[in-house]
Structures are given as structure tokens and as C-alpha cells.
Amino acid sequence: MSEKKILLTEKEIPEKWYNIMADMPNKPLPPLNPATRTPIGPEALAPIFPMGLIQQEVSAEKWIDIPEQVRDMYKIYRPTPLFRAYGLEKALDTPAKIYYKYEGVSPAGSHKPNTAIPQAYYNKQEGVKKILTETGAGQWGSALAFACNMFDMECEVFMVRLSYDGKPYRKMMMNTWGASVHASPSKLTQAGRTILAKDPNSPGSLGIAISEAIELAVQSESSKYALGSVLNHVLLHQTIVGQEALLQMEKAGDLPDIVIAPFGGGSNFAGLSFPFLRLNLDEGKKIRAIASEPASCPKLTRGVFRYDFGDTIGMTPLLPMYTLGHNFIPAPIHAGGLRYHGAGVIVSQLLKDNLIEARAHHQLECFEAGVLFARTEGIIPAPEANHGIATAVQEAQKCKEEGISKTILFNLCGHGNFDMAAYDAYFSGKLSEHELTTAEIDSSLAELDTPTIA
Ligand SMILES: *Cc1c(COP(=O)(O)O)cnc(C)c1O
């Protein structure tokens, strides 16, 4: 048996982020002003984000320097380990070689600090005192609370009601790093009050929580908003994951045939896969990249490619994306981080151009894969991460059926140590399979009056 764990030294932490925009054959269409439906420039984002991040959002530079202070902060948990899943391979009796990059070693327990740290850094540089945000499962809120605390800034988080009630430890974590946390929809904002008037028992959604955080962020000069996925600069920051993984795979003397990651808004998928897709675009390699999404929130496999809002109320610019419609409220599955109606602009364009693939999995199949992983590899995965494992298991089983060996790499983007209630529900048979009908998707899409894309 060769190495189980492939490690890098601190010196090997990448010094630049990789911007796939520079290499894309078709660049994404521009964001539109919702009122005039004409393309907007970067200045439209200035009330919401600091200029340092806006520049990255629209940059076509292939490589972007990681500031020294950010690299230093990354050292708290980076480089992260890459493992060979010998235990899982054996249990599946597959000829495939399975590797996973483990991002659960960060203080927040997921990949999210990879962007929370630079986002806090660029805000701090421009004199911002407070960052507001939303959180679904609590992972992003925890990551931003941690990063703001490290840069001595305030952090205020709107947490989707369903998770606020179900994951009290996530809230306490954020409080420990000094952040304040509200259940969303809340009465603190017009957006929240509007939703509550329609449905006082609303379980909330990422789209609603985003509306609330932006509404308050734009009210003060010294406060800004931060998003934990979807946007180009967030995907950019996450490429540290794939660049490290590429180095580690080289050390293992291997190159993946398939890279896999769970998909919420696209950031951890982009983070792992873009540095490998660069080899396809630059060197003609044929590495497959598969995004794994929940069957109950299937924007990539059953959504449409058109302009839509990033939030529920319609405060963001119109973005060209795969979407289920900004009013779509996904069933309350346990993978809270994947309950988002749309996909990032870059990943959407890549899917449209058939440069990446997508696959949907049902909740029970994901937990089955996650439990198998926990029992063979030891780490208990986040419910979101279970989606990537489910795809990896399918691919490994296909290798067995076809009698061929492939190298599979997936992103174990977070641990599930705060998600034990979800596992408990699974073990006690309380997890149901939600069958999303075409009628439900059609009715959400029918409400859209945003521009279509030919
Ligand atoms: C947030 C989150 C996701 C989904 O978000 P992406 O932007 O698609 O990465 C997946 N897994 C975990 C553990 C998360 O915290």
C-alpha cells in the first residue's frame, strides 16, 4: 500500500488563485440592471462589496496574487490533507482508485474559510467595520464569523430558520467568534416582514436570508455584505483547494480521470475542479468534472439557463445562470448548504458549454453513502459532502461493472460533527424521500419574467 495521506508543507501553499475566466472559450454574459435590463458595470456593486473584491469579480487575469496576510491566516489549517480512500475502495470492491481532499480541518469545519478570510481582509483594507451575511446550514456564517474575528471586525448573520432551529451549535459557534445571529425570515428587515406576512411559519431559504442581509448592509457606509458562494470572486478564492490537490496528486504519482464535488452555488466544486479543468483547456487533457446536487433542488439537471435574481426578493443584478426560479423554496432536506435556487455564472456557462457534468442524488442515497464512508474512512461527512460521495460511489461501482480502473478524486468539503441530528433522523427512518414534480418546477419557473437567453 502506498501513502494513505498526502501532505504539503506551508511553503507549498499556492501564492496565486487561478481565474478560469481567462481560459473559458465562451465568457459568461454580463449581469443586467433589473430595472433597465442593460448590462451593469462593476460600479453598481460598490454599495455592497469592497472594490478589491469587485475587481476580482470582473477580472480576466489568469493568476491573481494571494495577499501575504491571507496566506498567513490560511496557515491555521492549510495546506489541507489529501487521502487515498483505501477503506472505501475495499468496501466497494472496486478497481477504481479513490482520493479525497479534506477541507473539514478548517476551524469552521468546511471549505468556506478559504473565501471568508480574503473577503474579511479586502473589507478591512477599505475601512469596513461590519460584514452582514446569510447562512444556510451555518457553515458560511461560522466561517465568516471566524474570519471577521481574526481581522477584528463585526459580523451579523441571518440564518435560515430551518437551520437556526435545527442546529443550535452552529449558532453558538458564531457567537463564540463574536458574531450576532438572527433567524431568517426576521422582523428586522422589510424583506423578512414581507415573507412573514405571506407565511408566518416560513422555514426560510438562502434567497430570503440574502435579501435580508443586503437590505441592512446597504443602509450604512461602514457595513458591507458578503456572499459565501455563487460569485466569481468566491469561486476564485476556492481554487486554492484544487491547486493543492493537483500538487498532492502529482506527489502520489497520479492524475484523476474524474473530479467530483457537491454543488450548492458552485464554490467548492469550482475550487476543486477549476485547476484540473485548466489542464483540459491548456493542455488538452480530458478530466471529467461532475457536480453533485440534491434531487430536491436540481438546478443543474432540471433547471433552465436564463437570467434570474440571486436572491428571493430581487435585489441583486440579473445573472445568467441555471435556475429553478428565485421563488423556489426547496424541501427542508438536511443538506442545508445545497438548498439554493441557482448556480454561479461561471459554472452555469461551463455546463452550458458541456465542459462540466451534473448529477442529482436523493437524500437517502446520500446518507447511505455518507455512513459507508464514515464506517470505512472514519470521518463523518457533512450532509452536503455526502452528495459528492454518492457520485464517487456510483463511478467506482461503474468501474467494477466494466472491469476498468479509473482514478476518482472528490472534495470532502466538510465534516458532519454538528449534523448528528440529521444522521439520527436517517438511522431512525425519519428521513423521507421528496419527489420533486415537474409541475412544481414549472410553476416556479412560470413566475419568472426575467430575460430568457437564446
Ligand atoms: C456551503 C457548503 C456547500 C455548498 O456550497 P458551494 O458553494 O456549492 O460549495 C457544500 N458543502 C459544505 C460542507 C458547505 O458548507
Side-chain angles (χ1 to χ4, degrees):
M1 199 190 273
S2 43
E3 272 170 296
K4 169 73 185 166
K5 181 155 92 264
I6 300 131
L7 300 173
L8 301 173
T9 64
E10 282 184 6
K11 284 207 182 80
E12 291 172 295
I13 295 177
E15 289 174 6
K16 294 173 195 296
W17 291 299
Y18 167 58
N19 184 9
I20 200 169
M21 195 78 103
D23 291 332
M24 289 172 76
N26 296 317
K27 311 297 175 207
L29 294 168
L32 301 182
N33 177 318
T36 62
R37 308 211 156 175
T38 51
I40 57 161
E43 65 292 339
L45 298 173
I48 308 183
F49 300 113
M51 278 322 289
L53 293 173
I54 294 172
Q55 280 161 9
Q56 292 178 353
E57 188 64 22
V58 298
S59 172
E61 288 290 313
K62 183 159 176 160
W63 299 101
I64 295 178
D65 285 332
I66 303 178
E68 205 49 50
Q69 255 183 289
V70 171
R71 275 187 91 237
D72 280 342
M73 202 71 85
Y74 276 163
K75 287 175 190 165
I76 293 177
Y77 63 97
R78 306 211 72 84
T80 63
L82 182 127
F83 294 93
R84 172 86 182 265
Y86 288 110
L88 182 62
E89 287 173 20
K90 187 156 174 262
L92 295 171
D93 188 27
T94 174
K97 291 191 259 181
I98 308 175
Y99 293 86
Y100 56 97
K101 178 74 166 156
Y102 185 40
E103 290 295 307
V105 293
S106 80
S110 76
H111 64 286
K112 298 261 176 30
N114 299 333
T115 184
I117 291 170
Q119 290 201 46
Y121 168 84
Y122 288 108
N123 274 288
K124 179 83 179 181
Q125 291 284 302
E126 294 177 33
V128 174
K129 301 268 183 290
K130 178 189 205 169
I131 306 183
L132 291 105
T133 199
E134 76 294 332
T135 195
Q139 289 272 17
W140 168 240
S142 309
L144 194 68
F146 155 72
C148 284
N149 170 69
M150 289 319 227
F151 286 102
D152 210 7
M153 300 167 78
E154 280 177 67
C155 181
E156 192 168 335
V157 182
F158 286 86
M159 185 171 189
V160 175
R161 163 65 70 184
L162 181 76
S163 298
Y164 186 91
D165 293 339
K167 297 190 174 185
Y169 293 124
R170 276 282 165 198
K171 171 180 171 284
M172 292 168 209
M173 237 176 141
M174 292 183 249
N175 292 151
T176 303
W177 281 311
S180 53
V181 185
H182 317 290
S184 167
S186 79
K187 293 193 173 135
L188 299 170
T189 66
Q190 190 53 50
R193 289 189 292 269
T194 304
I195 300 286
L196 287 173
K198 273 195 258 173
D199 178 8
N201 298 318
S202 168
S205 72
L206 277 172
I208 295 168
I210 293 172
S211 299
E212 292 206 88
I214 295 182
E215 184 182 323
L216 289 192
V218 297
Q219 285 173 12
S220 157
E221 292 248 320
S222 63
S223 64
K224 297 273 184 206
Y225 166 73
L227 191 61
S229 185
V230 181
L231 295 176
N232 304 349
H233 66 269
V234 181
L235 274 54
L236 174 81
H237 300 153
Q238 293 293 350
T239 59
I240 188 123
V241 176
Q243 291 188 74
E244 282 184 11
L246 185 55
L247 278 177
Q248 287 161 311
M249 292 301 295
E250 280 168 6
K251 283 198 181 187
D254 239 335
L255 187 69
D257 299 298
I258 308 171
V259 294
I260 295 164
F263 196 100
S267 82
N268 87 89
F269 170 76
L272 181 70
S273 68
F274 286 4
F276 290 94
L277 290 176
R278 180 178 71 77
L279 304 183
N280 292 1
L281 297 166
D282 269 1
E283 301 171 14
K285 293 239 168 22
K286 295 208 159 50
I287 300 166
R288 291 171 58 203
I290 310 176
S292 313
E293 64 178 6
S296 57
C297 191
K299 58 250 171 182
L300 298 176
T301 52
R302 296 174 75 187
V304 293
F305 183 65
R306 70 182 283 169
Y307 275 100
D308 196 8
F309 292 105
D311 68 322
T312 301
I313 298 291
M315 301 173 77
T316 68
L318 288 165
L319 303 168
M321 52 154 80
Y322 277 93
T323 180
L324 293 164
H326 60 272
N327 288 325
F328 182 81
I329 303 219
I333 54 163
H334 284 280
L338 307 185
R339 294 178 71 243
Y340 182 65
H341 67 273
V345 165
I346 294 180
V347 272
S348 290
Q349 187 66 46
L350 292 171
L351 183 65
K352 180 95 175 91
D353 291 340
N354 289 317
L355 295 171
I356 60 170
E357 302 167 41
R359 192 171 299 173
H361 296 281
H362 286 285
Q363 181 161 242
L364 288 174
E365 178 194 0
C366 293
F367 273 93
E368 192 185 321
V371 169
L372 175 67
F373 184 86
R375 290 180 182 172
T376 52
E377 293 295 318
I379 300 165
I380 300 175
E384 291 85 358
N386 288 344
H387 291 71
I389 300 172
T391 303
V393 166
Q394 275 186 347
E395 289 299 320
Q397 282 167 340
K398 210 184 291 170
C399 285
K400 184 180 177 187
E401 285 155 23
E402 295 169 1
I404 44 171
S405 169
K406 285 191 183 154
T407 301
I408 299 167
L409 166 65
F410 71 87
N411 199 8
L412 186 62
C413 51
H415 68 64
N417 296 0
F418 295 97
D419 302 282
M420 295 326 299
Y423 280 87
D424 185 49
Y426 172 67
F427 291 129
S428 53
K430 285 189 201 128
L431 280 197
S432 57
E433 209 71 283
H434 174 82
E435 226 13 273
L436 180 64
T437 63
T438 306
E440 283 174 279
I441 296 178
D442 288 349
S443 100
S444 170
L445 291 174
E447 289 176 31
L448 287 184
D449 59 358
T450 54
T452 53
I453 300 170

